[in-house]
Amino acid sequence: MPRIIKQRVEFEGRVEERNVVIEGDDLPVWPAGERFQVIGTPVTRVDGAQRAGGTARYTADLYPAGVLHGAILRSPHPHARIRALRTSRAEQAPGVRLVLSHRNTDAIPWYNGMSRIFDTELRYVGDEVALVVADDAAAARDALDLIEVEYEPLPHVIDPLEAIRPGAPQVHPQGNVLGGAPERYARGDVEQGFLAADAIVELDVTTPDVLHHSMETHGSVAWWEGDTLVIWDSTQHIFGVRRQVAAALRIPLDRVRVLSPFMGGGFGGKNNAGKHTVLAALASRRLGRPVRIVFTRAEESQAAGKRPRSVQRIRVGARSDGTLVAIDYWGVSSIGAYRAIGTPLAGPATELYACPNVRAETLNVFTHTGPAAAFRAPGYVEGTCALECAIEALADQLEIDPLELRLRNYAEADQVLGRPYSSKFLREAYAMGARAIGWERRALTPRSPVRDGPPRRGLGMATQLWGGSGSAPAYAEVRLNPDGTAEVRIGTQDIGTGTKTALTQIAAEVLTLPVGKVTLSLGDTDFPYSPLSAGSQTLASCGPAVRMAADEARRHLIDAAASLLEVAPEDVRLEGGRLFVAGVPERGLAIAELTGQIGNFTIAGRGFRGPNPDGVTIRTWGAQFAEVEVDPETGEVSVLRIVACHDVGRVINPLQYQSQIHGGVIQGLGMALREEHVTDPETGAVLDLGFDAYAVPRITGIPEIVALAVDKPDPIANNLGVKGVGEPPIIPTPAAIANAVANALGVRVTSFPITPAKVRAELGRRA
Amino acid sequence: MSTPSAPSGSLHAVRVTVNGRPEALRVPARRTLLQVLREDLHLTGTKEGCGVGTCGACTVLVDGRAMLSCLVLAVQADGRTVETIEGLSRDGALDPLQQAFIAHDALQCGFCTPGQVMALRALLRATPHPSLDEIRRAVEGNVCRCGAYPRIQQAALEVARAAEGYR
């Protein structure tokens, strides 16, 4: 009988209490030293041929028969009221089938009730005004110019620090601070702590708005089959999209099917249904034809989410031996016009180091800019920039090696929740990374700024702390075919991380089948429930359920074989796809022989994700080391090498693990040196519409990246001993690079991205 | 954000060979080669990443040269030979470059992959044994937001170093 318990569950840097249903006993954790055939091996992507062959079908590739194309009219004002809107000219344009606006659409609540699908108050340049549906995309876009809108411009605020001043224009009636007040945290007595400090460092740190820019833009294709709505969506959460769309349209869940079998990147920007998803469904219902709405790259820059810019101040104090005595943190996250949850900026400062006196205050501030979204370790990348630059500045001031300073303040337990960690192999990550980069080569940071001369090298490092535990619920089903092949169904998504391959490996391991004999299908709400592919939780949530489903099928296989072999089930072994009597290997049969004999009687298994262990905090850990060369004349920073070593539990697939590290490091590199999404404070307009003015990393700018893994299973986190690797590798990269720049030049740039102009300015050189 | 209106209704005849198959089409003047490939010929392996020539996802070969199909009007392709990602596999077997991409995990979400492969194919056809620098320059215009770049260059290097060269 299922029972319900309350449990504290971490997700994307926030801890919340949830009802967790316990269905039965979980499998024991595969211990360290467990011998595997498939797990831990570099299996290439099971869908590699489809992705490399161009036959993988993404949402953007769907053009069902009779499809119509939608284009969205967006607000040109950062804050305005629609006084009048006339669509008749657009409706008469060639090829146009429908124009939707607030005038002919229900007031469907959106953004947690802060707005609606078509609001008459517009709160950022890019807010949705109307939808045109036409025979082709060009006709739809042409007709946007024919919609006549009278706007009443209203006062706007773009800068978050201006937005929190008294009298600032209000983004929402409840005020510009999310939740009405800062989020506060404190332990000990920070002022007393600073009194005991021999050295104090204070830094102002800013990080820019950063865009996800997934290669597949946001998009949905919707059609109706009778009273059932089918949506293909480029999403990280098919079940979430189903819930949101069903609620918006007021139709039952079983009348909505959402699919996303291939997905062209998300990075947190596709965690929720978009307005375009609902609009495609609404338009399709009115027109009786499929409707496709796919963002242009410019829309992706304006209205698809961003890592919100941060303004941070951190003060850290330590005794002369490096022991931390106080951390005081203040941070502002500019969450744009709409956002339901705050950015956990203070996570690293409050938890990473052993420190008795910590105070943190975070303000999440609405502005008249594009809505913020989760972006690969939201808050923690920004917060790590502040904390880890301050720690290294402190080390320099005390003339203690920065790695040694970190080790002296190693947190053995979770000081925020007051409980132990399930496992923490950060020391191992530090040691492996330091060895690989040659940390002992690090020279003392120059006491005074190096203003000229030849390019100089520097070494810097930073630490990563993040969740990634995964959690219940997640479910999977396995069934065996008469020919001995296996099929796995699970309603998760592979957003490019390799989920499909890793889950296939787990099923293959349990069933002792080659990977090629296991076909795993995902990305369909007809399959068992799985959570959002975010928070580095997919493998650790779905993997244990797949293992359990495969294990149930394995037990049924053994039972069936036992009756055929006329022995007790305990005496049957399954190895290499063969069932045999223990000690008598010749008395047995292959799985395919067994399933062939029973025909269409199907051996199947169902698995669920067990609850997380009580009373412990589950974290991922890691360390990154950067070597840079900086030219003091030009301020140009060249990253020569990044070494990354992370503790994310057992590694299921080392090939894909390393690919995740590469990807995270490269995105972190972009944020460190180049990427900045710019909103004009006067007009609220986005100045980087697309890739021309927004510098995503290119292959020519990539340094050597060494991806190492501690690769020790977590002894209790879940039955696989795994944690997530999606987000960890981006977290420490910008801070490690900034620290290396400081080590090279003796000056510290704490405004990201670290552009040549900022380096020169810090050196006192003319721009 | 809208493209300027063009007189609709007038269609232009285009004859183009795509992956070895002659095609006869009638297209509006402003229709791009990318749109024709994806929407008229259902060859959706070629992706639209930006539509304005800044990301490389739509790279195809036109008369053997790598071109951004979002910047080529379909009428400009008249009389030419176009090769897309779908044209690379023979009898279900992938091209060596595609195989190398899989072996080296040179793709994550895979959305940019067809463009990366086609850009490298153009390079390898013109220069069978390119240097790392030549490889990097050949795909400098191809954005991979997942950051598979180290793997992409490994995959390309493996093919570039194969003694028999690239077909």
Side-chain angles (χ1 to χ4, degrees), chain A residues 12 36 92 94 122 179 200 311 389 493 588 603 612-613 615 717 727 762:
Chain A
E12 299 243 298
F36 296 110
Q92 287 154 23
L122 305 164
I200 295 175
V311 180
C389 287
Q493 305 76 206
I603 285 177
N612 286 343
E727 285 153 307
E762 204 61 50

Side-chain angles (χ1 to χ4, degrees), chain A residues 44-45 48-49 51-54 56-58 60-61 63 69 138-139 141-142 144-145 210-213 215-217 263-265 267 292 296-299 302 375 495-496 655-656 658-660 662-663 666-667 675 691-692 694 696-702 705, chain B residues 1-6 8 30-31 35 38-39 42 44-52 54-55 57 85-86 89 94 98 101-105 107-114 117 135-137 139-153:
Chain A
T44 57
R45 287 182 196 247
R51 291 184 197 259
R57 180 156 287 214
Y58 300 79
D61 296 333
Y63 300 92
H69 300 258
R141 280 199 297 274
D142 286 351
L144 295 180
D145 291 349
V210 180
L211 296 177
H212 307 71
H213 269 318
M215 291 312 295
E216 183 186 26
T217 59
M263 205 278 223
F267 314 115
R292 177 183 188 273
T296 63
R297 181 56 59 186
E299 286 179 292
Q302 270 187 325
F375 187 161
I495 63 173
L655 189 65
Q656 295 184 165
Q658 288 177 6
S659 293
Q660 284 302 299
H662 291 164
I666 288 168
Q667 286 183 346
E675 292 181 39
F691 291 128
D692 349 29
Y694 185 91
V696 291
R698 306 265 172 168
I699 196 167
T700 38
I702 301 307
I705 301 169
Chain B
M1 187 173 0
S2 58
T3 49
S5 296
S8 51
R30 67 173 171 177
R31 199 157 179 83
Q35 289 166 331
R38 288 176 55 81
E39 298 181 45
H42 311 292
T44 55
T46 305
K47 305 301 183 197
E48 177 171 342
C50 71
V52 292
T54 58
C55 79
I85 190 77
E86 289 92 346
S89 45
L94 293 177
Q98 291 169 310
F101 264 61
I102 296 169
H104 289 274
D105 208 34
L107 54 95
Q108 290 184 31
C109 83
F111 203 80
C112 74
T113 310
V117 170
I135 287 168
R136 286 165 75 120
R137 270 185 281 132
V139 285
E140 186 173 16
N142 293 72
V143 176
C144 171
R145 190 54 165 156
C146 298
Y149 297 130
R151 308 296 211 188
I152 290 169
Q153 66 189 38

Side-chain angles (χ1 to χ4, degrees), chain A residues 93 113 129 198 337 392 408 438 442 502 556 600 627 661 665 669 716 746 758:
Chain A
V129 174
D198 299 313
E392 210 136 307
R408 285 184 197 173
R442 181 183 183 272
H556 292 174
N600 288 320
E627 181 164 16
I661 301 289
V665 166
L669 181 79
I716 54 172
K758 289 179 189 170

Side-chain angles (χ1 to χ4, degrees), chain A residues 507-553:
Chain A
E509 182 72 46
V510 173
L511 295 168
T512 75
L513 290 172
V515 165
K517 288 213 184 281
V518 180
T519 295
L520 185 134
S521 301
L522 46 68
D524 187 339
T525 53
D526 278 358
F527 301 157
Y529 176 84
S530 285
L532 165 65
S533 291
S536 303
Q537 71 168 346
T538 307
L539 182 60
S541 296
C542 300
V546 169
R547 181 188 165 201
M548 191 189 283
D551 195 71
E552 186 172 292

Side-chain angles (χ1 to χ4, degrees), chain A residues 612-688:
Chain A
N612 286 343
D614 257 334
V616 297
T617 297
I618 303 168
R619 294 289 189 213
T620 56
W621 309 96
Q624 288 187 10
F625 298 79
E627 181 164 16
V628 303
E629 188 171 86
V630 193
D631 186 337
E633 306 282 341
T634 63
E636 191 74 42
V637 176
S638 306
V639 178
L640 305 175
R641 200 165 176 228
I642 303 270
V643 170
C645 185
H646 295 265
D647 161 29
V648 295
R650 172 176 273 129
V651 173
I652 299 293
N653 185 321
L655 189 65
Q656 295 184 165
Y657 167 87
Q658 288 177 6
S659 293
Q660 284 302 299
I661 301 289
H662 291 164
V665 166
I666 288 168
Q667 286 183 346
L669 181 79
M671 182 175 160
L673 299 182
R674 300 269 188 280
E675 292 181 39
E676 184 167 16
H677 170 63
V678 182
T679 305
D680 177 17
E682 294 302 315
T683 63
V686 166
L687 301 183
D688 49 300

Side-chain angles (χ1 to χ4, degrees), chain A residues 417-757:
Chain A
L417 295 178
R419 57 190 194 179
Y421 291 118
S422 62
S423 65
K424 179 175 179 179
F425 303 118
L426 178 58
R427 277 197 190 85
E428 288 82 343
Y430 281 142
M432 289 171 72
R435 198 178 318 124
I437 195 89
W439 183 249
E440 73 286 348
R441 294 182 293 125
R442 181 183 183 272
L444 279 180
T445 298
R447 274 274 168 211
S448 54
V450 180
R451 293 182 204 281
D452 42 32
R456 286 182 59 94
R457 291 203 173 182
L459 283 173
M461 64 172 289
T463 314
Q464 167 257 316
L465 157 76
W466 180 246
S469 66
S471 64
Y475 301 92
E477 289 168 3
V478 172
R479 69 176 192 228
L480 287 151
N481 294 317
D483 64 356
T485 57
E487 292 179 59
V488 186
R489 282 176 176 34
I490 181 163
T492 183
Q493 305 76 206
D494 187 337
I495 63 173
T497 55
T499 297
K500 194 184 234 182
T501 306
L503 296 180
T504 303
Q505 286 178 259
I506 293 163
E509 182 72 46
V510 173
L511 295 168
T512 75
L513 290 172
V515 165
K517 288 213 184 281
V518 180
T519 295
L520 185 134
S521 301
L522 46 68
D524 187 339
T525 53
D526 278 358
F527 301 157
Y529 176 84
S530 285
L532 165 65
S533 291
S536 303
Q537 71 168 346
T538 307
L539 182 60
S541 296
C542 300
V546 169
R547 181 188 165 201
M548 191 189 283
D551 195 71
E552 186 172 292
R554 187 188 67 88
R555 281 186 282 114
H556 292 174
L557 273 175
I558 285 175
D559 287 348
S563 48
L564 277 179
L565 297 168
E566 297 178 338
V567 293
E570 306 83 74
D571 295 328
V572 177
R573 298 287 174 270
L574 172 60
E575 284 174 24
R578 213 180 124 74
L579 296 139
F580 58 89
V581 178
V584 198
E586 63 279 8
R587 251 189 86 196
L589 72 177
I591 289 177
E593 289 177 80
L594 172 64
T595 52
Q597 285 190 35
I598 63 172
N600 288 320
F601 290 94
T602 303
I603 285 177
R606 178 178 172 279
F608 61 89
R609 168 59 153 85
N612 286 343
D614 257 334
V616 297
T617 297
I618 303 168
R619 294 289 189 213
T620 56
W621 309 96
Q624 288 187 10
F625 298 79
E627 181 164 16
V628 303
E629 188 171 86
V630 193
D631 186 337
E633 306 282 341
T634 63
E636 191 74 42
V637 176
S638 306
V639 178
L640 305 175
R641 200 165 176 228
I642 303 270
V643 170
C645 185
H646 295 265
D647 161 29
V648 295
R650 172 176 273 129
V651 173
I652 299 293
N653 185 321
L655 189 65
Q656 295 184 165
Y657 167 87
Q658 288 177 6
S659 293
Q660 284 302 299
I661 301 289
H662 291 164
V665 166
I666 288 168
Q667 286 183 346
L669 181 79
M671 182 175 160
L673 299 182
R674 300 269 188 280
E675 292 181 39
E676 184 167 16
H677 170 63
V678 182
T679 305
D680 177 17
E682 294 302 315
T683 63
V686 166
L687 301 183
D688 49 300
L689 293 174
F691 291 128
D692 349 29
Y694 185 91
V696 291
R698 306 265 172 168
I699 196 167
T700 38
I702 301 307
E704 181 191 1
I705 301 169
V706 179
L708 306 172
V710 174
D711 196 7
K712 286 189 175 189
D714 187 290
I716 54 172
N718 54 66
N719 69 35
L720 300 173
V722 300
K723 297 186 262 189
V725 68
E727 285 153 307
I730 192 178
I731 292 172
T733 315
I737 291 170
N739 285 334
V741 171
N743 178 243
L745 295 181
V747 294
R748 187 165 280 284
V749 179
T750 54
S751 166
F752 294 83
I754 304 170
T755 60

